[in-house]
Amino acid sequence: MQTPPLALYIHIPWCVQKCPYCDFNSHGQKTPLPESEYISHLLDDLATDAMLVGDRPISSVFFGGGTPSLFSAKGIERILTGVGERVNLADDAEITLEANPGTVESEKFAAFRQAGVNRISIGVQSFGQDKLKALGRIHNAEQASRAAGYAHNAGLSSFNLDLMHGLPDQSVDDALSDLRRAIGQLPPHLSWYQLTIEPNTLFASKPPVLPDDDVLWDIQQQGHTLLEQAGYHQYEISGYSQPGHQCQHNLNYWRFGDYLGIGCGAHGKITDAGANQILRTVKVKHPKGYMDLSKPYLFQSHNVVRADRPFEFFMNRLRLLEPCPKQDYERYTGLQIAEFGLAGKLTGAIDAGLINETPQSWQLTESGKRYLNNLLEKLV
Protein backbone atom coordinates (compact mmCIF):
# COMPACT_ATOMS: atom_id res chain seq x y z
CA MET A 1 0.00 0.00 0.00
CA GLN A 2 1.20 3.52 -0.83
CA THR A 3 0.18 6.94 0.44
CA PRO A 4 -1.73 9.01 -2.16
CA PRO A 5 -1.48 12.79 -2.65
CA LEU A 6 -3.06 14.99 0.02
CA ALA A 7 -5.48 17.95 -0.19
CA LEU A 8 -7.30 20.18 2.31
CA TYR A 9 -11.00 21.01 2.37
CA ILE A 10 -12.23 23.97 4.47
CA HIS A 11 -15.98 24.32 5.09
CA ILE A 12 -17.64 27.72 5.58
CA PRO A 13 -21.25 26.83 6.51
CA TRP A 14 -23.16 30.10 6.08
CA CYS A 15 -25.28 31.35 3.16
CA VAL A 16 -27.45 34.42 2.72
CA GLN A 17 -30.34 31.95 2.43
CA LYS A 18 -30.73 28.19 2.01
CA CYS A 19 -31.52 27.06 -1.55
CA PRO A 20 -34.42 24.59 -1.89
CA TYR A 21 -32.33 21.99 -3.78
CA CYS A 22 -29.28 22.12 -1.49
CA ASP A 23 -28.42 19.17 0.75
CA PHE A 24 -25.00 20.50 1.73
CA ASN A 25 -24.30 21.49 5.32
CA SER A 26 -25.28 25.14 5.02
CA HIS A 27 -27.15 27.56 7.25
CA GLY A 28 -29.00 30.76 6.33
CA GLN A 29 -27.34 33.88 7.69
CA LYS A 30 -29.64 35.28 10.37
CA THR A 31 -27.13 37.16 12.53
CA PRO A 32 -23.70 38.74 11.91
CA LEU A 33 -21.18 36.06 10.98
CA PRO A 34 -18.84 34.98 13.79
CA GLU A 35 -15.99 35.14 11.27
CA SER A 36 -13.05 35.69 13.62
CA GLU A 37 -14.24 33.12 16.15
CA TYR A 38 -14.91 30.52 13.48
CA ILE A 39 -11.49 31.02 11.92
CA SER A 40 -9.84 30.40 15.29
CA HIS A 41 -11.72 27.11 15.53
CA LEU A 42 -10.79 26.14 11.96
CA LEU A 43 -7.11 26.59 12.72
CA ASP A 44 -7.36 24.67 16.00
CA ASP A 45 -9.18 21.91 14.13
CA LEU A 46 -6.41 21.82 11.53
CA ALA A 47 -3.71 21.71 14.19
CA THR A 48 -5.27 18.53 15.56
CA ASP A 49 -5.64 16.90 12.14
CA ALA A 50 -2.11 17.91 11.13
CA MET A 51 -0.80 15.26 13.51
CA LEU A 52 -2.33 12.62 11.21
CA VAL A 53 -0.30 13.68 8.18
CA GLY A 54 3.06 14.90 9.47
CA ASP A 55 5.05 16.69 6.77
CA ARG A 56 3.08 15.38 3.78
CA PRO A 57 2.61 18.23 1.26
CA ILE A 58 -0.86 19.70 0.70
CA SER A 59 -1.35 19.96 -3.08
CA SER A 60 -4.65 21.87 -3.09
CA VAL A 61 -7.01 23.77 -0.80
CA PHE A 62 -10.75 24.17 -1.41
CA PHE A 63 -13.00 26.60 0.48
CA GLY A 64 -16.52 25.17 0.15
CA GLY A 65 -19.85 25.91 1.71
CA GLY A 66 -22.17 27.47 2.26
CA THR A 67 -20.86 30.62 0.65
CA PRO A 68 -17.19 31.20 1.53
CA SER A 69 -17.24 34.56 -0.30
CA LEU A 70 -19.31 35.91 2.62
CA PHE A 71 -16.04 35.98 4.56
CA SER A 72 -13.73 38.95 4.21
CA ALA A 73 -10.51 38.74 2.22
CA LYS A 74 -8.63 39.45 5.45
CA GLY A 75 -10.33 36.46 7.02
CA ILE A 76 -9.39 34.19 4.11
CA GLU A 77 -5.82 35.49 4.30
CA ARG A 78 -5.71 34.71 8.03
CA ILE A 79 -6.87 31.15 7.32
CA LEU A 80 -4.29 30.57 4.59
CA THR A 81 -1.51 32.02 6.72
CA GLY A 82 -2.56 29.69 9.53
CA VAL A 83 -2.68 26.74 7.13
CA GLY A 84 0.89 27.44 6.06
CA GLU A 85 1.97 27.51 9.71
CA ARG A 86 0.37 24.16 10.56
CA VAL A 87 0.87 21.95 7.50
CA ASN A 88 3.24 21.70 4.55
CA LEU A 89 1.37 23.74 1.94
CA ALA A 90 2.98 23.28 -1.48
CA ASP A 91 4.24 26.48 -3.11
CA ASP A 92 2.23 25.72 -6.27
CA ALA A 93 -0.95 24.58 -4.48
CA GLU A 94 -4.25 25.21 -6.24
CA ILE A 95 -6.38 27.28 -3.82
CA THR A 96 -10.06 27.52 -4.74
CA LEU A 97 -12.79 29.58 -3.11
CA GLU A 98 -16.50 29.18 -3.89
CA ALA A 99 -18.36 32.43 -4.52
CA ASN A 100 -21.98 33.45 -5.03
CA PRO A 101 -22.40 36.17 -7.70
CA GLY A 102 -24.63 38.06 -5.30
CA THR A 103 -21.95 38.38 -2.60
CA VAL A 104 -18.95 39.70 -4.54
CA GLU A 105 -17.72 42.75 -6.36
CA SER A 106 -14.57 43.44 -8.37
CA GLU A 107 -12.54 44.70 -5.43
CA LYS A 108 -13.38 41.62 -3.35
CA PHE A 109 -12.20 39.19 -6.05
CA ALA A 110 -8.93 41.10 -6.34
CA ALA A 111 -8.57 41.05 -2.56
CA PHE A 112 -9.18 37.28 -2.46
CA ARG A 113 -6.38 36.92 -5.02
CA GLN A 114 -4.05 39.00 -2.86
CA ALA A 115 -5.00 36.83 0.13
CA GLY A 116 -3.65 33.77 -1.69
CA VAL A 117 -6.66 32.40 -3.57
CA ASN A 118 -5.72 31.53 -7.17
CA ARG A 119 -8.96 29.94 -8.38
CA ILE A 120 -12.60 30.99 -7.90
CA SER A 121 -15.67 28.78 -8.40
CA ILE A 122 -18.75 30.90 -9.14
CA GLY A 123 -22.18 29.41 -8.41
CA VAL A 124 -24.14 30.73 -11.40
CA GLN A 125 -26.53 27.74 -11.81
CA SER A 126 -28.56 29.53 -14.52
CA PHE A 127 -28.78 32.78 -16.49
CA GLY A 128 -32.58 32.59 -16.69
CA GLN A 129 -34.27 34.86 -14.17
CA ASP A 130 -37.27 32.53 -13.81
CA LYS A 131 -34.94 29.59 -13.21
CA LEU A 132 -32.86 31.50 -10.67
CA LYS A 133 -36.04 32.37 -8.79
CA ALA A 134 -37.19 28.74 -8.83
CA LEU A 135 -33.79 27.67 -7.48
CA GLY A 136 -33.93 30.22 -4.66
CA ARG A 137 -30.77 32.01 -5.82
CA ILE A 138 -30.13 35.54 -4.51
CA HIS A 139 -28.42 36.83 -7.66
CA ASN A 140 -29.66 37.73 -11.13
CA ALA A 141 -28.28 36.96 -14.56
CA GLU A 142 -26.48 40.29 -14.87
CA GLN A 143 -24.68 39.76 -11.57
CA ALA A 144 -23.58 36.32 -12.78
CA SER A 145 -22.08 37.80 -15.94
CA ARG A 146 -20.36 40.56 -13.98
CA ALA A 147 -18.86 38.02 -11.57
CA ALA A 148 -17.26 36.18 -14.50
CA GLY A 149 -15.80 39.48 -15.67
CA TYR A 150 -14.41 40.15 -12.20
CA ALA A 151 -12.74 36.74 -12.24
CA HIS A 152 -11.11 37.46 -15.60
CA ASN A 153 -9.71 40.74 -14.28
CA ALA A 154 -8.55 39.51 -10.87
CA GLY A 155 -5.35 37.84 -12.10
CA LEU A 156 -6.42 34.34 -11.08
CA SER A 157 -4.80 31.20 -12.46
CA SER A 158 -8.24 29.86 -13.35
CA PHE A 159 -11.91 30.07 -12.50
CA ASN A 160 -15.00 27.89 -12.77
CA LEU A 161 -18.66 28.51 -13.49
CA ASP A 162 -21.16 26.14 -11.88
CA LEU A 163 -24.14 25.62 -14.17
CA MET A 164 -27.14 23.32 -13.72
CA HIS A 165 -29.41 21.68 -16.28
CA GLY A 166 -32.61 19.68 -15.95
CA LEU A 167 -34.20 22.60 -14.08
CA PRO A 168 -37.93 22.97 -13.34
CA ASP A 169 -39.88 23.28 -16.61
CA GLN A 170 -36.63 23.64 -18.59
CA SER A 171 -36.72 22.86 -22.31
CA VAL A 172 -33.78 21.76 -24.44
CA ASP A 173 -33.59 25.26 -25.93
CA ASP A 174 -33.64 26.84 -22.45
CA ALA A 175 -30.76 24.64 -21.28
CA LEU A 176 -28.66 25.22 -24.40
CA SER A 177 -29.26 28.97 -24.18
CA ASP A 178 -27.95 28.88 -20.60
CA LEU A 179 -24.93 26.90 -21.72
CA ARG A 180 -24.16 29.24 -24.62
CA ARG A 181 -24.27 32.22 -22.29
CA ALA A 182 -21.93 30.46 -19.85
CA ILE A 183 -19.50 29.58 -22.66
CA GLY A 184 -19.68 33.21 -23.78
CA GLN A 185 -18.13 34.23 -20.44
CA LEU A 186 -14.99 32.27 -21.49
CA PRO A 187 -14.45 30.43 -18.18
CA PRO A 188 -11.41 28.14 -18.19
CA HIS A 189 -13.55 25.52 -16.41
CA LEU A 190 -17.26 24.67 -16.45
CA SER A 191 -19.05 22.37 -14.02
CA TRP A 192 -22.25 21.39 -15.85
CA TYR A 193 -24.44 19.07 -13.87
CA GLN A 194 -28.00 17.87 -13.67
CA LEU A 195 -30.30 19.00 -10.88
CA THR A 196 -31.31 16.08 -8.69
CA ILE A 197 -33.86 16.01 -5.89
CA GLU A 198 -32.04 15.15 -2.68
CA PRO A 199 -33.60 13.95 0.59
CA ASN A 200 -34.12 16.47 3.38
CA THR A 201 -34.42 19.46 1.04
CA LEU A 202 -37.36 21.74 0.33
CA PHE A 203 -37.56 20.31 -3.19
CA ALA A 204 -37.89 16.82 -1.69
CA SER A 205 -40.95 17.87 0.31
CA LYS A 206 -42.42 19.96 -2.53
CA PRO A 207 -40.99 18.48 -5.76
CA PRO A 208 -40.99 20.76 -8.80
CA VAL A 209 -41.84 19.49 -12.29
CA LEU A 210 -38.56 18.44 -13.90
CA PRO A 211 -37.89 17.52 -17.56
CA ASP A 212 -38.53 13.91 -18.55
CA ASP A 213 -35.73 11.47 -19.38
CA ASP A 214 -35.90 12.07 -23.14
CA VAL A 215 -35.50 15.83 -22.69
CA LEU A 216 -32.67 15.30 -20.22
CA TRP A 217 -30.87 13.02 -22.68
CA ASP A 218 -31.24 15.57 -25.49
CA ILE A 219 -29.90 18.32 -23.22
CA GLN A 220 -26.89 16.23 -22.26
CA GLN A 221 -26.07 15.12 -25.81
CA GLN A 222 -26.52 18.49 -27.48
CA GLY A 223 -24.85 20.33 -24.60
CA HIS A 224 -21.85 18.02 -24.71
CA THR A 225 -21.45 18.70 -28.44
CA LEU A 226 -21.74 22.43 -27.84
CA LEU A 227 -19.03 22.34 -25.17
CA GLU A 228 -16.65 20.28 -27.29
CA GLN A 229 -17.11 22.63 -30.26
CA ALA A 230 -16.24 25.53 -27.93
CA GLY A 231 -12.93 23.88 -26.97
CA TYR A 232 -13.92 22.31 -23.66
CA HIS A 233 -12.78 18.78 -22.82
CA GLN A 234 -14.93 16.58 -20.61
CA TYR A 235 -12.60 14.95 -18.10
CA GLU A 236 -15.14 14.09 -15.41
CA ILE A 237 -18.85 13.20 -15.41
CA SER A 238 -19.85 16.84 -14.82
CA GLY A 239 -16.52 18.61 -15.38
CA TYR A 240 -15.38 20.36 -18.58
CA SER A 241 -12.24 22.42 -18.96
CA GLN A 242 -10.02 24.16 -21.44
CA PRO A 243 -6.58 22.48 -21.77
CA GLY A 244 -4.59 22.65 -18.53
CA HIS A 245 -7.46 23.90 -16.39
CA GLN A 246 -8.85 20.75 -14.79
CA CYS A 247 -9.68 21.22 -11.11
CA GLN A 248 -6.74 19.60 -9.33
CA HIS A 249 -8.60 19.39 -6.03
CA ASN A 250 -11.46 17.41 -7.57
CA LEU A 251 -9.04 15.23 -9.51
CA ASN A 252 -7.50 14.28 -6.18
CA TYR A 253 -10.91 13.25 -4.81
CA TRP A 254 -11.77 11.12 -7.83
CA ARG A 255 -8.32 9.50 -7.96
CA PHE A 256 -8.89 8.25 -4.41
CA GLY A 257 -6.47 10.76 -2.93
CA ASP A 258 -6.37 11.79 0.71
CA TYR A 259 -7.79 15.00 2.14
CA LEU A 260 -8.08 16.69 5.50
CA GLY A 261 -11.55 18.11 6.14
CA ILE A 262 -11.88 20.97 8.63
CA GLY A 263 -14.93 23.01 9.57
CA CYS A 264 -18.58 22.18 10.27
CA GLY A 265 -19.52 18.75 8.94
CA ALA A 266 -16.36 18.45 6.83
CA HIS A 267 -15.32 14.96 5.72
CA GLY A 268 -11.73 13.71 5.57
CA LYS A 269 -9.86 10.66 4.28
CA ILE A 270 -6.39 9.78 5.53
CA THR A 271 -4.28 6.77 4.55
CA ASP A 272 -1.78 5.16 6.90
CA ALA A 273 0.15 3.01 4.46
CA GLY A 274 2.33 1.45 7.16
CA ALA A 275 -0.69 0.16 9.05
CA ASN A 276 -2.65 -0.61 5.84
CA GLN A 277 -5.50 1.60 7.06
CA ILE A 278 -7.79 4.22 5.52
CA LEU A 279 -9.38 6.55 8.07
CA ARG A 280 -12.51 8.53 7.28
CA THR A 281 -13.46 11.46 9.53
CA VAL A 282 -16.52 13.70 9.95
CA LYS A 283 -16.55 16.92 11.97
CA VAL A 284 -19.38 18.25 14.15
CA LYS A 285 -22.07 19.54 11.79
CA HIS A 286 -23.75 22.52 13.46
CA PRO A 287 -21.76 25.75 13.94
CA LYS A 288 -22.80 26.11 17.58
CA GLY A 289 -21.63 22.61 18.40
CA TYR A 290 -18.47 23.00 16.36
CA MET A 291 -17.52 26.19 18.22
CA ASP A 292 -18.33 24.71 21.65
CA LEU A 293 -14.95 24.61 23.41
CA SER A 294 -16.14 21.86 25.73
CA LYS A 295 -16.48 19.39 22.84
CA PRO A 296 -14.07 17.94 20.26
CA TYR A 297 -14.33 18.97 16.60
CA LEU A 298 -14.40 15.34 15.52
CA PHE A 299 -17.93 13.93 15.35
CA GLN A 300 -17.07 10.42 14.17
CA SER A 301 -14.36 8.43 12.44
CA HIS A 302 -13.92 4.90 11.16
CA ASN A 303 -11.37 2.77 9.37
CA VAL A 304 -12.55 1.59 5.96
CA VAL A 305 -12.60 -2.20 6.18
CA ARG A 306 -10.88 -4.07 3.38
CA ALA A 307 -14.11 -5.45 1.95
CA ASP A 308 -15.48 -1.90 1.42
CA ARG A 309 -12.41 -0.52 -0.32
CA PRO A 310 -13.09 -1.84 -3.86
CA PHE A 311 -16.47 -0.12 -4.12
CA GLU A 312 -15.21 3.10 -2.50
CA PHE A 313 -12.31 3.23 -4.94
CA PHE A 314 -14.43 2.73 -8.06
CA MET A 315 -17.27 4.95 -6.85
CA ASN A 316 -14.73 7.78 -6.98
CA ARG A 317 -12.42 6.71 -9.80
CA LEU A 318 -15.12 6.00 -12.35
CA ARG A 319 -16.29 9.61 -12.31
CA LEU A 320 -13.19 10.32 -14.40
CA LEU A 321 -13.08 9.60 -18.12
CA GLU A 322 -9.31 9.05 -18.18
CA PRO A 323 -7.96 5.48 -17.95
CA CYS A 324 -7.64 4.14 -14.41
CA PRO A 325 -4.25 2.45 -13.92
CA LYS A 326 -4.65 -0.95 -12.31
CA GLN A 327 -1.60 -0.23 -10.18
CA ASP A 328 -3.42 2.74 -8.62
CA TYR A 329 -6.11 0.36 -7.36
CA GLU A 330 -3.53 -1.90 -5.71
CA ARG A 331 -1.39 0.97 -4.38
CA TYR A 332 -4.20 3.03 -2.85
CA THR A 333 -6.47 0.28 -1.53
CA GLY A 334 -3.77 -2.15 -0.39
CA LEU A 335 -5.68 -4.95 -2.16
CA GLN A 336 -5.09 -7.32 -5.03
CA ILE A 337 -7.58 -7.36 -7.91
CA ALA A 338 -8.34 -11.02 -7.19
CA GLU A 339 -9.65 -10.23 -3.68
CA PHE A 340 -13.37 -9.97 -2.78
CA GLY A 341 -14.51 -11.24 -6.16
CA LEU A 342 -13.58 -7.99 -7.90
CA ALA A 343 -12.14 -9.65 -11.01
CA GLY A 344 -15.46 -11.37 -11.74
CA LYS A 345 -17.47 -8.19 -11.13
CA LEU A 346 -15.23 -6.27 -13.50
CA THR A 347 -15.61 -8.99 -16.13
CA GLY A 348 -19.40 -8.58 -15.86
CA ALA A 349 -19.08 -4.82 -16.36
CA ILE A 350 -16.77 -5.34 -19.35
CA ASP A 351 -19.15 -7.85 -20.92
CA ALA A 352 -21.99 -5.36 -20.45
CA GLY A 353 -20.01 -2.74 -22.38
CA LEU A 354 -19.74 -0.38 -19.41
CA ILE A 355 -15.95 -0.34 -19.12
CA ASN A 356 -13.01 -1.22 -21.36
CA GLU A 357 -9.92 -3.06 -20.15
CA THR A 358 -6.28 -3.17 -21.23
CA PRO A 359 -3.46 -5.04 -19.46
CA GLN A 360 -2.63 -1.78 -17.66
CA SER A 361 -5.95 -0.01 -17.05
CA TRP A 362 -9.75 0.22 -17.03
CA GLN A 363 -11.74 3.02 -18.66
CA LEU A 364 -15.36 4.12 -18.71
CA THR A 365 -17.17 3.63 -22.03
CA GLU A 366 -19.82 5.98 -23.43
CA SER A 367 -22.44 3.51 -22.20
CA GLY A 368 -20.77 3.38 -18.80
CA LYS A 369 -20.83 7.16 -18.62
CA ARG A 370 -24.57 7.20 -19.29
CA TYR A 371 -25.37 4.32 -16.94
CA LEU A 372 -22.80 4.97 -14.22
CA ASN A 373 -25.15 3.97 -11.39
CA ASN A 374 -25.82 0.62 -13.07
CA LEU A 375 -22.08 0.10 -13.45
CA LEU A 376 -21.44 0.80 -9.78
CA GLU A 377 -24.20 -1.63 -8.80
CA LYS A 378 -22.28 -4.37 -10.61
CA LEU A 379 -19.22 -3.61 -8.45
CA VAL A 380 -20.93 -3.80 -5.05
Side-chain angles (χ1 to χ4, degrees):
M1 190 178 199
Q2 294 184 21
T3 303
L6 178 66
L8 170 63
Y9 175 76
I10 301 173
H11 192 74
I12 310 293
W14 293 281
C15 289
V16 174
Q17 66 182 27
K18 181 82 170 179
C19 295
Y21 61 86
C22 179
D23 68 337
F24 294 148
N25 182 29
S26 59
H27 304 265
Q29 178 188 1
K30 296 182 176 64
T31 59
L33 294 180
E35 178 176 315
S36 181
E37 179 186 2
Y38 187 72
I39 291 172
S40 295
H41 285 282
L42 284 176
L43 296 177
D44 286 346
D45 187 2
L46 179 59
T48 301
D49 275 9
M51 292 185 288
L52 298 171
V53 298
D55 198 41
R56 291 173 60 186
I58 300 284
S59 60
S60 65
V61 179
F62 196 101
F63 289 89
T67 306
S69 55
L70 287 174
F71 271 26
S72 69
K74 287 294 184 183
I76 298 300
E77 182 177 24
R78 180 184 162 200
I79 294 171
L80 289 174
T81 298
V83 168
E85 292 169 349
R86 288 161 178 79
V87 293
N88 179 15
L89 182 61
D91 292 338
D92 61 349
E94 175 192 84
I95 301 176
T96 301
L97 182 137
E98 290 186 331
N100 186 312
T103 66
V104 293
E105 62 282 332
S106 179
E107 293 77 12
K108 197 167 188 180
F109 267 19
F112 284 143
R113 175 67 187 96
Q114 292 175 353
V117 172
N118 53 35
R119 184 176 182 274
I120 295 281
S121 181
I122 305 171
V124 171
Q125 315 312 356
S126 176
F127 288 95
Q129 195 55 47
D130 59 329
K131 299 297 186 283
L132 290 169
K133 183 177 180 180
L135 293 172
R137 305 297 290 174
I138 66 168
H139 67 273
N140 58 39
E142 185 57 35
Q143 287 174 314
S145 294
R146 284 203 302 267
Y150 299 156
H152 276 295
N153 295 328
L156 299 161
S157 300
S158 187
F159 72 91
N160 169 64
L161 295 185
D162 264 355
L163 193 72
M164 286 183 173
H165 64 271
L167 304 181
D169 299 312
Q170 188 178 50
S171 68
V172 175
D173 287 343
D174 289 339
L176 296 181
S177 176
D178 250 1
L179 191 54
R180 289 189 185 95
R181 188 157 178 184
I183 291 170
Q185 307 300 318
L186 302 178
H189 190 284
L190 256 168
S191 295
W192 190 56
Y193 53 96
Q194 181 181 326
L195 172 65
T196 56
I197 305 300
E198 302 294 344
N200 303 315
T201 63
L202 183 59
F203 273 2
S205 60
K206 298 179 179 179
V209 177
L210 301 182
D212 63 32
D213 288 344
D214 288 340
V215 171
L216 290 172
W217 179 243
D218 287 342
I219 289 172
Q220 291 166 9
Q221 289 296 96
Q222 295 181 41
H224 176 78
T225 299
L226 195 62
L227 284 159
E228 285 197 326
Q229 290 173 344
Y232 290 89
H233 169 68
Q234 185 183 22
Y235 69 98
E236 185 257 334
I237 290 294
S238 59
Y240 290 79
S241 77
Q242 295 175 348
H245 288 280
Q246 297 95 333
C247 177
Q248 298 303 307
H249 189 84
N250 285 347
L251 280 175
N252 185 62
Y253 284 150
W254 309 139
R255 289 172 177 164
F256 209 54
D258 280 355
Y259 47 96
L260 295 174
I262 64 170
C264 297
H267 290 242
K269 170 185 173 284
I270 302 298
T271 299
D272 183 340
N276 197 353
Q277 290 185 337
I278 299 173
L279 178 70
R280 289 202 177 272
T281 61
V282 184
K283 301 302 171 60
V284 172
K285 187 173 182 178
H286 198 277
K288 287 184 179 179
Y290 182 80
M291 293 188 288
D292 184 344
L293 289 172
S294 68
K295 299 177 181 178
Y297 300 114
L298 183 66
F299 173 64
Q300 62 184 20
S301 65
H302 74 276
N303 282 307
V304 181
V305 298
R306 292 169 60 85
D308 289 343
R309 294 180 195 177
F311 180 74
E312 288 208 9
F313 177 87
F314 285 107
M315 181 177 62
N316 287 278
R317 199 58 176 76
L318 291 179
R319 284 190 63 94
L320 293 176
L321 306 189
E322 68 185 19
C324 169
K326 293 179 180 180
Q327 65 177 5
D328 279 6
Y329 174 79
E330 296 181 342
R331 289 189 299 185
Y332 298 152
T333 66
L335 303 173
Q336 298 298 309
I337 296 169
E339 295 184 73
F340 301 110
L342 177 63
K345 295 173 183 177
L346 288 167
T347 297
I350 293 165
D351 291 343
L354 300 174
I355 57 174
N356 291 324
E357 183 181 36
T358 71
Q360 292 79 33
S361 65
W362 305 285
Q363 188 171 16
L364 207 61
T365 65
E366 281 298 314
S367 181
K369 184 171 71 171
R370 183 177 183 183
Y371 299 109
L372 182 57
N373 287 339
N374 292 348
L375 169 56
L376 293 175
E377 288 173 2
K378 290 182 178 294
L379 301 178
V380 174

